[in-house]
Amino acid sequence: MLQALDNHGKVVTLYSLNKERLAKLKVEGHFYCPVCKEKLLIRAGEKVIAHFAHHRKSSCPHGGEGAYHEQGKLDLYKWFSDQGFRVKLEHYLAEIKQRPDLLVEIGSKTLAIEFQCASIPMSDVQRRTAKYRENGFVPIWILGANKLNRLTSQMIKISSTDASYIHQFHEYFPLSIYYYCSLQKQFIFFQDFYFFTQTKAYGSLSVMALDRATLKDFFTMRKLPSDQLLQTWREELKKWRNRPVPFHQKNETAWRQWLYLHQLNVQTLPYFVNLPIQTEFMAKSPPWVWQSRLYLDLILKQKKFSFTDAHDILRNHFYPASDFPLIHSSFHPVREYFQMLERIGILKCYKQNIYVVIRTTV
Ligand SMILES: [Zn+2]
């Protein structure tokens, strides 16, 4: 953490102190955690930002996440302050018993900024986000770029636990996930992405130096050009169709056997049975698994069906929307998929929840 209490209960910060002063404090100073009141150590060095740390055995929830995190927190603190916003560092919100890394006042709104570098349980992210929102704060989670797993220039891996950090500020806002690197001093904005697998997402990725970015960049809508998506998806589809499946991948093997029982295989499945989906992170199985269920059990078998029929077939295939409190829209993978099928002329929605099959091949 960047702040601690001294013997008199006064808040002390270290990052602005010179070497001599720091060396003196390291020996003579007594500092305490504002949460657990334990005695703290000072960590500082040539490449390490001066900060407070608990003793190794501490189990304090305000434990801190190391120098990378502390540096990022301070960078962001200065970045917001330089833009003229009122910022509070590590401020304790007694009413909700939470301590966001930063609180930023913007007009009548207050942003609760969390710079998250360590992995924490999804349920913690959900609970903390929900509490911020219930109490009128706008939560923004910025992930440490140490958690960024970049596959190509426009493709990253978003693990199922990191999916709870996906933001969507309003219904028409593209899905967005934010990263900051406190070593390279840059933001990475990843937006408007589609999942080719449960974790592999393709979207608009932009890197921006901290000193060139402003808060507006968090709310800018960077769209992925549709021709780029189409081209990449075709390449991915080809790879997927030709990839060997090792037998230890039990679920995938079982799914392929299920296809064989229906006289089908991955090569003969129509291409629309593996469409990239934006809300795939809400699904518990890969896109081709649940989409093929809909294809075989509904599209091939029935001339007409309802959204509820689809929902019944895929019971337990999706996480509840409440698992993603940063997402505003009420979008659902099946609804998104049906809309795509409408666009390519497979289905037609003729009442709000009733779909008619137009054709089954392309
Ligand atoms: Zn503590």
Side-chain angles (χ1 to χ4, degrees):
M1 67 200 80
L2 294 172
Q3 299 187 132
L5 303 175
D6 67 7
N7 270 338
H8 311 286
K10 222 181 95 198
V11 175
V12 184
T13 43
L14 297 175
Y15 58 84
S16 54
L17 303 179
N18 64 29
K19 264 192 210 162
E20 289 72 31
R21 182 94 186 102
L22 268 176
K24 199 167 145 57
L25 284 182
K26 242 179 166 171
V27 183
E28 297 171 3
H30 297 280
F31 303 101
Y32 305 91
C33 171
V35 176
C36 68
K37 314 290 184 232
E38 269 173 39
K39 206 156 178 256
L40 299 172
L41 304 164
I42 291 180
R43 290 245 161 84
E46 282 298 322
K47 288 182 180 163
V48 176
I49 181 182
H51 65 280
F52 296 103
H54 286 81
H55 285 270
R56 216 171 277 278
K57 281 180 190 155
S58 164
S59 58
C60 174
H62 189 44
E65 301 169 32
Y68 185 84
H69 174 247
E70 303 300 346
Q71 181 65 59
K73 206 188 326 181
L74 181 62
D75 290 350
L76 293 169
Y77 172 79
K78 288 181 176 163
W79 182 71
F80 278 112
S81 308
D82 288 349
Q83 293 174 68
F85 300 118
R86 251 190 78 193
V87 194
K88 284 181 189 160
L89 185 67
E90 297 171 354
H91 180 79
Y92 184 62
L93 298 165
E95 67 271 34
I96 56 171
K97 297 194 180 79
Q98 298 201 120
R99 190 183 297 269
D101 287 329
L102 304 173
L103 271 180
V104 186
E105 276 177 35
I106 294 166
S108 58
K109 289 197 170 140
T110 307
L111 308 183
I113 308 284
E114 294 280 10
F115 179 51
Q116 193 62 38
C117 300
S119 293
I120 54 171
M122 230 163 118
S123 53
D124 278 15
V125 184
Q126 290 155 2
R127 186 180 41 81
R128 280 160 70 181
T129 300
K131 273 203 164 172
Y132 285 137
R133 290 197 42 193
E134 281 160 25
N135 288 274
F137 299 99
V138 179
I140 296 184
W141 293 77
I142 303 170
L143 291 178
N146 60 327
K147 289 174 78 67
L148 175 67
N149 186 351
R150 202 162 165 180
L151 301 171
T152 69
S153 63
Q154 305 272 50
M155 206 186 302
I156 70 170
K157 228 176 175 156
I158 301 176
S159 70
S160 59
T161 41
D162 285 356
S164 39
Y165 299 110
I166 297 173
H167 295 66
Q168 188 189 33
F169 297 110
H170 56 78
E171 204 184 334
Y172 303 103
F173 197 84
L175 296 180
S176 304
I177 188 161
Y178 304 104
Y179 296 90
Y180 176 68
C181 178
S182 62
L183 294 173
Q184 291 172 323
K185 311 286 180 210
Q186 61 189 20
F187 288 112
I188 298 103
F189 301 106
F190 191 59
Q191 291 187 304
D192 199 25
F193 40 86
Y194 289 78
F195 286 84
F196 292 134
T197 70
Q198 275 178 286
T199 54
K200 212 158 103 179
Y202 181 75
S204 159
L205 185 144
S206 44
V207 179
M208 195 176 273
L210 180 71
D211 55 11
R212 298 191 55 188
T214 65
L215 181 61
K216 253 193 193 153
D217 289 302
F218 274 79
F219 304 106
T220 304
M221 303 194 208
R222 298 170 193 84
K223 290 277 192 172
L224 178 70
S226 54
D227 55 330
Q228 262 184 41
L229 174 67
L230 198 65
Q231 199 197 329
T232 313
W233 170 63
R234 281 202 184 111
E235 290 159 14
E236 287 291 316
L237 197 61
K238 211 167 147 189
K239 268 193 251 168
W240 174 75
R241 281 189 164 154
N242 295 315
R243 88 190 163 106
V245 173
F247 72 94
H248 63 81
Q249 289 187 5
K250 288 206 177 86
N251 291 341
E252 188 65 18
T253 309
W255 174 74
R256 289 188 180 222
Q257 278 166 355
W258 173 80
L259 274 189
Y260 289 133
L261 290 177
H262 292 82
Q263 281 98 45
L264 280 167
N265 61 58
V266 284
Q267 274 82 23
T268 54
L269 272 180
Y271 74 86
F272 63 82
V273 180
N274 188 3
L275 292 180
I277 289 285
Q278 293 213 291
T279 48
E280 172 62 26
F281 59 88
M282 299 175 91
K284 294 179 188 171
S285 54
W288 54 89
V289 169
W290 60 267
Q291 291 178 22
S292 63
R293 283 292 306 274
L294 295 175
Y295 173 64
L296 277 165
D297 291 351
L298 280 183
I299 297 168
L300 284 184
K301 279 189 191 154
Q302 306 196 25
K303 291 194 178 89
K304 195 167 102 178
F305 54 82
S306 69
F307 181 75
T308 318
D309 294 335
H311 214 262
D312 287 347
I313 286 174
L314 294 177
R315 231 175 303 126
N316 304 323
H317 267 68
F318 303 105
Y319 297 107
S322 56
D323 278 6
F324 308 95
L326 293 167
I327 303 277
H328 272 242
S329 116
S330 53
F331 231 41
H332 187 273
V334 173
R335 222 175 261 288
E336 188 190 343
Y337 181 54
F338 283 175
Q339 279 181 8
M340 283 193 175
L341 293 182
E342 272 191 85
R343 244 177 280 150
I344 55 173
I346 304 294
L347 296 182
K348 194 167 163 55
C349 178
Y350 86 101
K351 264 191 226 154
Q352 207 183 357
N353 276 319
I354 306 291
Y355 295 87
V356 180
V357 179
I358 306 294
R359 55 201 171 102
T360 55
T361 52
V362 261

